[in-house]
């Protein structure tokens, strides 16, 4: 198990997002549901996934990045963390 | 089936994202995988979900919005579509 | 003057963002101001600029897009509008 | 002058964005310029401003955050940095 990850919280959230996606998958075939509602559910799942990324990034910061700065190559550690933040903050 | 949705494309993409999430769920417990790699997979799934939203929004525009403007209440149609774009473009 | 733009509102907002940027430009040299505060001002200006984009996109939808659908080439109009939404929703 | 900021690079970029905003301000009144083009310029300025935020965040990480972790309160330092990343990655 990863030390730096809040694994239980992450598993719970990912399972929930998979549930949201299965619900969206069914909504797509249901012609009584307006498109706007399907889109709102997609946005909600996207935000939930962004939050999962945030939890991972923070766990990484609080464990691996602190550790790398205190006991490893500080420069390389922050260089790589800066890249991770950059990817996290964009929709590529 | 919804006229305005490319249902097959959407089902295929959603299934793929669910597959990505199941892979991420396993990666979280695997201590040989660096956090950055998990985060990259989360970002990839988030971008894929954004694209699903885009496909829905475009289908809605090309069918429901055109139809609403040509044969319904044009003002109300664009008012609601503007709201949908707003939600789509933010991580709330 | 563009019919489709709320020009007064837009001029006012753009002037305000330029004011925010001039303030940020001064903050950068002031060592009594924490980085986090500078960053918060940058984020505020970025959000304000996103809102300017939203006002333009909505004006375009309510005038040019409705007009194009009712009296022009509906397909080409929505094709181009879909592209505009796509750019608007990303940080490229 | 702030030690942690690449002040020259930041001043140059902010001046450039102010120039972009002044150009947008003029485009708004020019009815020969299509809305889409104005919107593209707004998106470009928004991306440039996001990059300014990125430069500040990285400078902060490479100086203040490393320093806080090595010589100050590591926990508080990363707690605050996590908040800064969170704001940076959203359009609120």
């Amino acid at each position: 198990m990863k030390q730096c990850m809040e694994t239980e919280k992450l598993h719970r959230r990912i399972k929930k997002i998979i549930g949201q996606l299965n619900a969206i998958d069914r909504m797509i075939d249901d012609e009584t549901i307006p498109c706007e509602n399907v889109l709102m559910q997609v946005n909600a799942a996207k935000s939930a996934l962004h939050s999962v990324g945030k939890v991972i990034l923070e766990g990484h910061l609080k464990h691996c990045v602190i550790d790398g700065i205190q006991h490893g190559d500080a420069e390389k550690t922050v260089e790589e963390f800066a890249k991770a933040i950059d990817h996290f903050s964009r929709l590529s």
Side-chain angles (χ1 to χ4, degrees), chain A residues 9 12 16-18 20-21 23 33 36 45-47 49 52 56 59 64 68 74 80 82 88 92:
Chain A
K9 192 200 261 189
R12 208 169 48 237
K16 197 182 156 193
I17 298 169
I18 291 174
Q20 288 174 291
L21 290 177
I33 298 174
E36 283 100 333
K46 188 174 67 178
S47 287
L49 203 43
V52 163
I56 295 172
C64 317
E80 284 177 359
F88 173 67
S92 59

Side-chain angles (χ1 to χ4, degrees), chain A residues 3-72:
Chain A
Q3 297 296 324
C4 58
M5 288 215 186
E6 302 184 67
T7 52
E8 269 191 61
K9 192 200 261 189
L10 287 169
H11 284 309
R12 208 169 48 237
R13 290 199 182 190
I14 289 168
K15 294 270 183 277
K16 197 182 156 193
I17 298 169
I18 291 174
Q20 288 174 291
L21 290 177
N22 280 315
I24 291 165
D25 200 50
R26 286 188 299 272
M27 288 171 88
I28 286 166
D29 293 319
D30 184 341
E31 55 179 300
T32 66
I33 298 174
C35 305
E36 283 100 333
N37 295 21
V38 184
L39 192 63
M40 274 177 58
Q41 296 305 315
V42 172
N43 291 339
K46 188 174 67 178
S47 287
L49 203 43
H50 184 74
S51 291
V52 163
K54 193 184 134 186
V55 170
I56 295 172
L57 200 72
E58 285 185 14
H60 184 55
L61 172 61
K62 286 175 189 175
H63 294 88
C64 317
V65 174
I66 286 189
D67 192 59
I69 288 172
Q70 288 179 334
H71 308 110

